[in-house]
Short mmCIF file of all heavy atoms in Angstrom, two decimals:
data_model
loop_
_atom_site.label_atom_id
_atom_site.label_comp_id
_atom_site.label_asym_id
_atom_site.label_seq_id
_atom_site.Cartn_x
_atom_site.Cartn_y
_atom_site.Cartn_z
N GLY T 42 28.83 4.13 0.93
CA GLY T 42 28.65 2.68 1.01
C GLY T 42 27.24 2.33 1.46
O GLY T 42 26.83 1.18 1.33
N PRO T 44 23.38 1.66 1.46
CA PRO T 44 22.41 1.45 0.37
C PRO T 44 21.28 2.47 0.52
O PRO T 44 20.64 2.60 1.56
CB PRO T 44 21.91 0.05 0.64
CG PRO T 44 22.17 -0.22 2.07
CD PRO T 44 23.36 0.62 2.48
N PRO T 45 20.95 3.13 -0.55
CA PRO T 45 19.95 4.21 -0.44
C PRO T 45 18.54 3.72 -0.75
O PRO T 45 17.62 4.50 -0.59
CB PRO T 45 20.37 5.22 -1.50
CG PRO T 45 21.03 4.33 -2.50
CD PRO T 45 21.60 3.15 -1.80
N VAL T 47 16.12 1.71 0.45
CA VAL T 47 15.00 1.80 1.44
C VAL T 47 15.53 2.53 2.64
O VAL T 47 16.55 2.20 3.20
CB VAL T 47 14.59 0.36 1.91
CG1 VAL T 47 13.55 0.44 3.01
CG2 VAL T 47 13.99 -0.38 0.74
N HIS T 57 12.97 4.23 -3.07
CA HIS T 57 13.16 5.07 -4.23
C HIS T 57 14.07 4.45 -5.27
O HIS T 57 14.91 3.58 -4.93
CB HIS T 57 13.64 6.48 -3.88
CG HIS T 57 15.11 6.51 -3.70
ND1 HIS T 57 15.79 6.15 -2.48
CD2 HIS T 57 16.14 6.90 -4.46
CE1 HIS T 57 17.08 6.33 -2.59
NE2 HIS T 57 17.32 6.77 -3.80
N ILE T 58 13.91 4.87 -6.54
CA ILE T 58 14.88 4.49 -7.57
C ILE T 58 15.34 5.73 -8.25
O ILE T 58 14.73 6.82 -8.10
CB ILE T 58 14.20 3.57 -8.58
CG1 ILE T 58 13.14 4.29 -9.38
CG2 ILE T 58 13.63 2.32 -7.97
CD1 ILE T 58 12.59 3.45 -10.53
N ARG T 59 16.47 5.66 -8.93
CA ARG T 59 17.04 6.78 -9.61
C ARG T 59 17.00 6.49 -11.12
O ARG T 59 17.62 5.52 -11.53
CB ARG T 59 18.48 7.00 -9.19
CG ARG T 59 18.62 7.63 -7.83
CD ARG T 59 19.83 8.46 -7.80
NE ARG T 59 19.61 9.72 -8.55
CZ ARG T 59 20.48 10.69 -8.56
NH1 ARG T 59 21.59 10.61 -7.92
NH2 ARG T 59 20.25 11.77 -9.27
N ASP T 72 4.13 -2.63 6.09
CA ASP T 72 5.37 -3.35 5.71
C ASP T 72 5.08 -4.02 4.37
O ASP T 72 4.75 -5.20 4.28
CB ASP T 72 5.61 -4.44 6.78
CG ASP T 72 7.11 -4.55 7.09
OD1 ASP T 72 7.91 -3.84 6.42
OD2 ASP T 72 7.48 -5.32 7.96
N ALA T 73 5.25 -3.26 3.33
CA ALA T 73 4.89 -3.76 2.01
C ALA T 73 6.04 -4.55 1.40
O ALA T 73 7.14 -4.58 1.92
CB ALA T 73 4.59 -2.58 1.11
N SER T 74 5.73 -5.17 0.30
CA SER T 74 6.77 -5.99 -0.36
C SER T 74 7.67 -5.08 -1.16
O SER T 74 7.25 -4.33 -1.95
CB SER T 74 6.06 -6.99 -1.33
OG SER T 74 6.97 -7.30 -2.34
N PRO T 75 8.99 -5.19 -0.91
CA PRO T 75 9.93 -4.31 -1.62
C PRO T 75 9.91 -4.55 -3.15
O PRO T 75 10.02 -3.61 -3.92
CB PRO T 75 11.27 -4.64 -1.04
CG PRO T 75 11.12 -6.00 -0.45
CD PRO T 75 9.68 -6.12 -0.04
N PHE T 76 9.71 -5.82 -3.52
CA PHE T 76 9.71 -6.12 -4.96
C PHE T 76 8.56 -5.43 -5.64
O PHE T 76 8.72 -4.89 -6.76
CB PHE T 76 9.60 -7.65 -5.19
CG PHE T 76 10.81 -8.40 -4.77
CD1 PHE T 76 10.82 -9.14 -3.60
CD2 PHE T 76 11.94 -8.39 -5.49
CE1 PHE T 76 11.92 -9.84 -3.20
CE2 PHE T 76 13.10 -9.10 -5.14
CZ PHE T 76 13.05 -9.81 -3.97
N PHE T 81 6.89 -1.47 -9.31
CA PHE T 81 5.96 -0.42 -9.65
C PHE T 81 6.63 0.83 -10.10
O PHE T 81 6.28 1.47 -11.11
CB PHE T 81 5.04 -0.17 -8.50
CG PHE T 81 4.23 1.12 -8.59
CD1 PHE T 81 3.26 1.22 -9.52
CD2 PHE T 81 4.56 2.19 -7.79
CE1 PHE T 81 2.57 2.43 -9.64
CE2 PHE T 81 3.88 3.37 -7.89
CZ PHE T 81 2.88 3.48 -8.84
N ASN T 83 9.65 1.13 -11.32
CA ASN T 83 10.25 0.91 -12.64
C ASN T 83 9.23 1.02 -13.75
O ASN T 83 9.45 1.59 -14.80
CB ASN T 83 10.89 -0.46 -12.70
CG ASN T 83 12.25 -0.49 -11.99
OD1 ASN T 83 12.93 0.49 -11.91
ND2 ASN T 83 12.60 -1.64 -11.42
N ILE T 121 -2.16 -0.61 -6.24
CA ILE T 121 -1.81 -0.49 -7.65
C ILE T 121 -2.88 -1.17 -8.54
O ILE T 121 -3.23 -2.33 -8.24
CB ILE T 121 -0.47 -1.17 -7.88
CG1 ILE T 121 0.55 -0.59 -6.96
CG2 ILE T 121 -0.02 -0.97 -9.33
CD1 ILE T 121 1.84 -1.35 -6.89
N GLN T 122 -3.44 -0.43 -9.45
CA GLN T 122 -4.49 -0.97 -10.27
C GLN T 122 -3.94 -1.64 -11.49
O GLN T 122 -4.12 -2.84 -11.67
CB GLN T 122 -5.46 0.17 -10.69
CG GLN T 122 -6.11 0.84 -9.52
CD GLN T 122 -6.96 -0.07 -8.73
OE1 GLN T 122 -7.86 -0.74 -9.25
NE2 GLN T 122 -6.74 -0.18 -7.44
N THR T 124 -0.79 -1.20 -14.81
CA THR T 124 0.20 -0.32 -15.42
C THR T 124 0.34 -0.69 -16.92
O THR T 124 1.33 -0.41 -17.53
CB THR T 124 1.59 -0.49 -14.77
OG1 THR T 124 1.86 -1.92 -14.72
CG2 THR T 124 1.64 0.08 -13.43
N PHE T 193 34.35 -11.58 -17.87
CA PHE T 193 35.59 -11.43 -17.06
C PHE T 193 36.67 -12.27 -17.65
O PHE T 193 36.50 -13.47 -17.83
CB PHE T 193 35.39 -12.00 -15.67
CG PHE T 193 34.65 -11.08 -14.74
CD1 PHE T 193 33.37 -11.30 -14.46
CD2 PHE T 193 35.29 -9.97 -14.14
CE1 PHE T 193 32.68 -10.49 -13.58
CE2 PHE T 193 34.63 -9.16 -13.32
CZ PHE T 193 33.32 -9.39 -13.03
N MET T 201 37.14 -16.34 -17.38
CA MET T 201 36.66 -16.73 -16.06
C MET T 201 35.16 -16.77 -16.03
O MET T 201 34.58 -17.65 -15.45
CB MET T 201 37.20 -15.70 -15.02
CG MET T 201 38.62 -15.94 -14.68
SD MET T 201 39.29 -14.69 -13.64
CE MET T 201 38.35 -14.93 -12.19
N LYS T 202 34.54 -15.83 -16.63
CA LYS T 202 33.11 -15.79 -16.55
C LYS T 202 32.58 -14.99 -17.68
O LYS T 202 33.14 -13.91 -17.99
CB LYS T 202 32.74 -15.13 -15.21
CG LYS T 202 31.25 -14.92 -15.08
CD LYS T 202 30.97 -14.10 -13.84
CE LYS T 202 29.77 -13.33 -14.07
NZ LYS T 202 29.15 -12.41 -13.50
N GLU T 206 22.92 -11.34 -21.18
CA GLU T 206 21.49 -11.25 -20.82
C GLU T 206 20.88 -10.39 -21.92
O GLU T 206 21.32 -9.31 -22.20
CB GLU T 206 21.35 -10.52 -19.50
CG GLU T 206 21.76 -11.43 -18.40
CD GLU T 206 21.67 -10.74 -17.05
OE1 GLU T 206 21.01 -9.68 -16.96
OE2 GLU T 206 22.19 -11.33 -16.10
N PHE T 250 9.12 -15.50 -21.11
CA PHE T 250 8.28 -14.74 -22.04
C PHE T 250 7.31 -13.86 -21.29
O PHE T 250 6.94 -14.13 -20.17
CB PHE T 250 7.48 -15.67 -22.96
CG PHE T 250 8.36 -16.59 -23.72
CD1 PHE T 250 8.66 -17.86 -23.27
CD2 PHE T 250 8.88 -16.19 -24.93
CE1 PHE T 250 9.52 -18.69 -24.00
CE2 PHE T 250 9.71 -17.03 -25.68
CZ PHE T 250 10.02 -18.29 -25.21
N GLN T 252 3.72 -12.32 -20.38
CA GLN T 252 2.48 -13.03 -20.14
C GLN T 252 1.60 -13.16 -21.38
O GLN T 252 0.91 -14.14 -21.55
CB GLN T 252 1.64 -12.23 -19.11
CG GLN T 252 1.58 -12.84 -17.77
CD GLN T 252 0.74 -11.98 -16.87
OE1 GLN T 252 0.88 -10.75 -16.89
NE2 GLN T 252 -0.10 -12.58 -16.15
N ASN T 359 39.43 9.43 -10.63
CA ASN T 359 39.15 8.01 -10.62
C ASN T 359 40.40 7.15 -10.72
O ASN T 359 40.32 5.97 -10.82
CB ASN T 359 38.33 7.65 -11.90
CG ASN T 359 37.06 8.40 -11.99
OD1 ASN T 359 36.62 8.91 -10.95
ND2 ASN T 359 36.54 8.52 -13.14
N ALA T 389 55.41 -2.76 -6.12
CA ALA T 389 54.03 -3.04 -5.76
C ALA T 389 53.06 -2.19 -6.56
O ALA T 389 51.88 -2.55 -6.71
CB ALA T 389 53.83 -2.83 -4.27
N GLN T 392 50.91 -3.64 -9.27
CA GLN T 392 49.66 -4.35 -8.89
C GLN T 392 48.48 -3.46 -9.06
O GLN T 392 47.37 -3.88 -9.21
CB GLN T 392 49.72 -4.80 -7.46
CG GLN T 392 50.62 -5.96 -7.23
CD GLN T 392 50.58 -6.40 -5.77
OE1 GLN T 392 49.58 -6.15 -5.10
NE2 GLN T 392 51.63 -6.96 -5.29
N GLU T 393 48.72 -2.13 -8.92
CA GLU T 393 47.61 -1.21 -8.97
C GLU T 393 47.08 -0.97 -10.38
O GLU T 393 46.00 -0.40 -10.53
CB GLU T 393 48.01 0.12 -8.37
CG GLU T 393 48.15 0.06 -6.89
CD GLU T 393 48.38 1.44 -6.38
OE1 GLU T 393 47.47 2.27 -6.50
OE2 GLU T 393 49.51 1.72 -5.87
N SER T 398 38.67 -2.31 -18.12
CA SER T 398 37.23 -2.48 -18.42
C SER T 398 36.90 -1.72 -19.69
O SER T 398 37.38 -0.62 -19.94
CB SER T 398 36.37 -2.04 -17.28
OG SER T 398 36.99 -1.13 -16.47
N SER T 438 29.65 -5.51 -18.37
CA SER T 438 30.86 -5.40 -17.52
C SER T 438 31.95 -6.23 -18.16
O SER T 438 32.05 -7.39 -17.88
CB SER T 438 30.48 -5.89 -16.12
OG SER T 438 31.69 -6.06 -15.39
N ARG T 442 41.63 -8.90 -16.83
CA ARG T 442 42.67 -8.76 -15.84
C ARG T 442 44.03 -8.75 -16.53
O ARG T 442 44.21 -9.40 -17.52
CB ARG T 442 42.65 -9.93 -14.84
CG ARG T 442 41.43 -9.97 -14.01
CD ARG T 442 41.73 -9.48 -12.64
NE ARG T 442 40.54 -9.03 -12.02
CZ ARG T 442 39.64 -9.83 -11.45
NH1 ARG T 442 39.92 -11.14 -11.42
NH2 ARG T 442 38.55 -9.33 -10.96
N MET C 1 -10.05 -1.39 -3.89
CA MET C 1 -9.98 -2.85 -4.14
C MET C 1 -9.02 -3.10 -5.32
O MET C 1 -9.07 -2.43 -6.31
CB MET C 1 -11.43 -3.28 -4.56
CG MET C 1 -11.66 -4.77 -4.55
SD MET C 1 -11.35 -5.45 -2.92
CE MET C 1 -10.83 -7.03 -3.29
N TYR C 3 -7.26 -4.49 -8.58
CA TYR C 3 -7.85 -4.92 -9.83
C TYR C 3 -7.57 -6.39 -10.06
O TYR C 3 -6.52 -6.75 -10.46
CB TYR C 3 -7.20 -4.04 -10.90
CG TYR C 3 -7.78 -4.25 -12.30
CD1 TYR C 3 -9.03 -3.67 -12.60
CD2 TYR C 3 -7.11 -4.91 -13.30
CE1 TYR C 3 -9.55 -3.81 -13.89
CE2 TYR C 3 -7.65 -5.10 -14.55
CZ TYR C 3 -8.86 -4.54 -14.84
OH TYR C 3 -9.37 -4.66 -16.08
N CYS C 42 -5.29 -12.69 -13.52
CA CYS C 42 -4.94 -11.35 -13.00
C CYS C 42 -3.61 -10.88 -13.56
O CYS C 42 -2.81 -11.68 -14.04
CB CYS C 42 -4.73 -11.40 -11.48
SG CYS C 42 -6.09 -12.10 -10.62
N TRP C 45 0.00 -7.11 -10.47
CA TRP C 45 -0.38 -6.43 -9.22
C TRP C 45 -1.52 -7.14 -8.52
O TRP C 45 -1.57 -7.37 -7.33
CB TRP C 45 -0.73 -4.95 -9.45
CG TRP C 45 0.20 -4.30 -10.40
CD1 TRP C 45 -0.04 -3.87 -11.68
CD2 TRP C 45 1.54 -4.02 -10.22
NE1 TRP C 45 1.06 -3.37 -12.24
CE2 TRP C 45 2.08 -3.43 -11.34
CE3 TRP C 45 2.43 -4.26 -9.11
CZ2 TRP C 45 3.43 -3.05 -11.45
CZ3 TRP C 45 3.77 -3.83 -9.24
CH2 TRP C 45 4.23 -3.27 -10.40
N HIS C 79 8.55 -15.17 -13.54
CA HIS C 79 9.69 -14.24 -13.65
C HIS C 79 9.41 -12.82 -13.28
O HIS C 79 10.19 -11.94 -13.41
CB HIS C 79 10.28 -14.29 -15.10
CG HIS C 79 9.29 -13.76 -16.11
ND1 HIS C 79 8.33 -14.53 -16.70
CD2 HIS C 79 9.16 -12.55 -16.66
CE1 HIS C 79 7.65 -13.80 -17.56
NE2 HIS C 79 8.16 -12.60 -17.54
N ALA C 81 9.22 -10.65 -10.23
CA ALA C 81 9.72 -10.82 -8.87
C ALA C 81 8.68 -10.63 -7.75
O ALA C 81 8.68 -11.36 -6.78
CB ALA C 81 10.89 -9.82 -8.64
N ALA C 85 8.05 -13.62 -4.99
CA ALA C 85 8.40 -13.39 -3.56
C ALA C 85 7.14 -13.60 -2.71
O ALA C 85 7.21 -14.21 -1.67
CB ALA C 85 8.91 -11.99 -3.38
N GLY C 118 20.13 -10.36 -11.17
CA GLY C 118 20.90 -9.92 -12.32
C GLY C 118 20.10 -8.94 -13.17
O GLY C 118 20.51 -8.64 -14.30
N SER C 121 17.55 -3.31 -13.29
CA SER C 121 17.24 -2.32 -12.31
C SER C 121 18.10 -2.54 -11.08
O SER C 121 18.05 -3.60 -10.44
CB SER C 121 15.77 -2.39 -11.93
OG SER C 121 15.56 -1.84 -10.69
N GLU C 123 17.95 -1.31 -8.10
CA GLU C 123 17.24 -1.40 -6.82
C GLU C 123 16.65 -2.79 -6.71
O GLU C 123 16.67 -3.36 -5.61
CB GLU C 123 16.14 -0.28 -6.73
CG GLU C 123 16.66 1.12 -6.65
CD GLU C 123 17.11 1.71 -7.95
OE1 GLU C 123 16.85 1.10 -9.02
OE2 GLU C 123 17.75 2.77 -7.94
N TYR C 126 19.34 -5.10 -5.66
CA TYR C 126 19.66 -4.97 -4.24
C TYR C 126 18.61 -5.73 -3.40
O TYR C 126 18.96 -6.44 -2.47
CB TYR C 126 19.72 -3.52 -3.87
CG TYR C 126 19.91 -3.28 -2.41
CD1 TYR C 126 21.12 -3.61 -1.83
CD2 TYR C 126 18.95 -2.77 -1.60
CE1 TYR C 126 21.32 -3.44 -0.51
CE2 TYR C 126 19.13 -2.59 -0.28
CZ TYR C 126 20.31 -2.94 0.31
OH TYR C 126 20.52 -2.75 1.66
N LYS C 148 29.62 -17.51 -9.25
CA LYS C 148 30.14 -16.56 -10.23
C LYS C 148 29.11 -15.45 -10.45
O LYS C 148 29.51 -14.35 -10.91
CB LYS C 148 30.42 -17.27 -11.50
CG LYS C 148 31.67 -18.04 -11.46
CD LYS C 148 32.09 -18.47 -12.84
CE LYS C 148 33.30 -19.40 -12.78
NZ LYS C 148 33.57 -20.01 -14.07
N CYS C 152 31.32 -8.89 -8.85
CA CYS C 152 30.79 -7.55 -9.01
C CYS C 152 31.18 -7.00 -10.37
O CYS C 152 32.32 -7.09 -10.78
CB CYS C 152 31.36 -6.64 -7.93
SG CYS C 152 31.13 -7.23 -6.32
N GLY C 153 30.23 -6.29 -11.01
CA GLY C 153 30.55 -5.58 -12.24
C GLY C 153 31.23 -4.27 -11.88
O GLY C 153 30.96 -3.71 -10.78
N TYR C 154 32.04 -3.74 -12.75
CA TYR C 154 32.82 -2.61 -12.27
C TYR C 154 31.99 -1.34 -12.21
O TYR C 154 32.39 -0.40 -11.51
CB TYR C 154 34.05 -2.41 -13.21
CG TYR C 154 33.76 -1.67 -14.50
CD1 TYR C 154 33.97 -0.31 -14.60
CD2 TYR C 154 33.25 -2.33 -15.60
CE1 TYR C 154 33.76 0.37 -15.78
CE2 TYR C 154 33.01 -1.67 -16.79
CZ TYR C 154 33.25 -0.31 -16.86
OH TYR C 154 33.01 0.36 -18.05
N TYR C 159 27.02 -0.01 -2.82
CA TYR C 159 26.23 -0.83 -1.87
C TYR C 159 25.91 -2.19 -2.40
O TYR C 159 25.87 -3.18 -1.64
CB TYR C 159 24.95 -0.07 -1.40
CG TYR C 159 24.00 0.30 -2.50
CD1 TYR C 159 22.95 -0.52 -2.85
CD2 TYR C 159 24.12 1.53 -3.18
CE1 TYR C 159 22.05 -0.17 -3.84
CE2 TYR C 159 23.25 1.88 -4.17
CZ TYR C 159 22.19 1.02 -4.49
OH TYR C 159 21.33 1.37 -5.51
N GLN C 162 29.13 -4.31 -2.04
CA GLN C 162 29.43 -4.78 -0.69
C GLN C 162 28.48 -5.93 -0.32
O GLN C 162 28.92 -6.89 0.30
CB GLN C 162 29.25 -3.61 0.28
CG GLN C 162 30.43 -2.66 0.14
CD GLN C 162 30.14 -1.35 0.85
OE1 GLN C 162 29.25 -1.28 1.64
NE2 GLN C 162 30.95 -0.36 0.52
N GLU C 183 39.24 -12.87 -7.12
CA GLU C 183 38.28 -11.84 -7.41
C GLU C 183 38.28 -10.77 -6.34
O GLU C 183 38.35 -9.58 -6.61
CB GLU C 183 36.94 -12.53 -7.50
CG GLU C 183 35.83 -11.73 -8.11
CD GLU C 183 36.08 -11.37 -9.53
OE1 GLU C 183 36.81 -12.13 -10.22
OE2 GLU C 183 35.60 -10.34 -9.90
N ARG C 185 40.63 -10.08 -4.35
CA ARG C 185 41.91 -9.35 -4.42
C ARG C 185 41.82 -8.21 -5.41
O ARG C 185 42.34 -7.11 -5.22
CB ARG C 185 42.96 -10.36 -4.82
CG ARG C 185 44.28 -9.88 -5.30
CD ARG C 185 45.10 -9.32 -4.14
NE ARG C 185 46.25 -8.70 -4.66
CZ ARG C 185 46.27 -7.48 -5.21
NH1 ARG C 185 45.15 -6.84 -5.29
NH2 ARG C 185 47.37 -6.97 -5.66
N VAL C 191 38.54 2.08 -6.49
CA VAL C 191 38.65 3.52 -6.22
C VAL C 191 37.89 3.90 -4.95
O VAL C 191 38.40 4.73 -4.19
CB VAL C 191 38.07 4.32 -7.46
CG1 VAL C 191 38.14 5.75 -7.16
CG2 VAL C 191 38.84 3.96 -8.68
N GLU C 194 35.43 2.59 0.74
CA GLU C 194 34.63 1.64 1.51
C GLU C 194 34.55 0.30 0.83
O GLU C 194 34.54 -0.72 1.53
CB GLU C 194 33.24 2.27 1.71
CG GLU C 194 33.29 3.43 2.60
CD GLU C 194 31.94 3.88 3.06
OE1 GLU C 194 30.97 3.10 2.94
OE2 GLU C 194 31.82 5.03 3.52
N GLY C 223 52.15 -3.96 0.70
CA GLY C 223 53.18 -3.40 -0.13
C GLY C 223 52.71 -2.21 -0.98
O GLY C 223 53.52 -1.44 -1.51
N LEU C 224 51.38 -2.07 -1.14
CA LEU C 224 50.91 -0.99 -1.95
C LEU C 224 51.06 0.38 -1.30
O LEU C 224 51.03 1.39 -1.98
CB LEU C 224 49.45 -1.19 -2.27
CG LEU C 224 49.08 -2.33 -3.20
CD1 LEU C 224 47.64 -2.46 -3.32
CD2 LEU C 224 49.71 -2.09 -4.55
N GLN C 226 49.17 2.19 0.50
CA GLN C 226 48.08 3.19 0.39
C GLN C 226 47.39 3.26 1.71
O GLN C 226 47.03 2.25 2.30
CB GLN C 226 47.10 2.71 -0.68
CG GLN C 226 47.66 2.88 -2.05
CD GLN C 226 46.53 3.06 -3.03
OE1 GLN C 226 45.45 3.51 -2.67
NE2 GLN C 226 46.80 2.74 -4.28
N ASN C 394 10.13 -10.91 2.02
CA ASN C 394 9.21 -10.10 1.22
C ASN C 394 8.63 -8.92 2.00
O ASN C 394 7.53 -8.48 1.72
CB ASN C 394 8.10 -10.90 0.63
CG ASN C 394 7.50 -10.25 -0.58
OD1 ASN C 394 8.12 -9.45 -1.24
ND2 ASN C 394 6.22 -10.55 -0.88
N THR C 395 9.36 -8.42 2.96
CA THR C 395 8.95 -7.12 3.58
C THR C 395 10.17 -6.24 3.46
O THR C 395 11.20 -6.61 2.99
CB THR C 395 8.62 -7.29 5.09
OG1 THR C 395 9.81 -7.77 5.73
CG2 THR C 395 7.53 -8.34 5.29
N LEU C 396 9.96 -4.99 3.95
CA LEU C 396 11.07 -4.04 3.82
C LEU C 396 12.15 -4.26 4.86
O LEU C 396 13.17 -3.63 4.84
CB LEU C 396 10.49 -2.61 4.00
CG LEU C 396 9.61 -2.20 2.84
CD1 LEU C 396 8.88 -0.92 3.15
CD2 LEU C 396 10.41 -2.00 1.58
N LEU C 399 15.82 -5.11 3.84
CA LEU C 399 16.55 -4.04 3.13
C LEU C 399 16.98 -2.98 4.10
O LEU C 399 18.05 -2.39 3.97
CB LEU C 399 15.66 -3.44 2.04
CG LEU C 399 15.68 -4.25 0.74
CD1 LEU C 399 14.78 -5.43 0.84
CD2 LEU C 399 15.31 -3.38 -0.38
N THR C 400 16.20 -2.72 5.15
CA THR C 400 16.62 -1.69 6.11
C THR C 400 17.64 -2.29 7.07
O THR C 400 18.55 -1.60 7.54
CB THR C 400 15.43 -1.16 6.94
OG1 THR C 400 14.56 -2.26 7.23
CG2 THR C 400 14.72 -0.08 6.19
#
Side-chain angles (χ1 to χ4, degrees):
Chain T
V47 174
H57 82 278
I58 66 172
R59 285 212 72 172
D72 222 357
S74 154
F76 291 104
F81 164 70
N83 282 331
I121 305 170
Q122 299 297 306
T124 51
F193 280 104
M201 283 174 64
K202 173 186 150 190
E206 287 179 13
F250 301 95
Q252 252 181 318
N359 303 340
Q392 286 181 29
E393 287 187 64
S398 24
S438 167
R442 293 257 158 81
Chain C
M1 195 60 209
Y3 185 75
C42 308
W45 316 112
H79 65 274
S121 155
E123 291 80 11
Y126 176 69
K148 284 194 186 169
C152 306
Y154 81 97
Y159 59 93
Q162 287 166 16
E183 195 62 28
R185 165 74 189 76
V191 177
E194 291 190 17
L224 290 176
Q226 286 207 25
N394 202 25
T395 63
L396 292 169
L399 278 80
T400 38

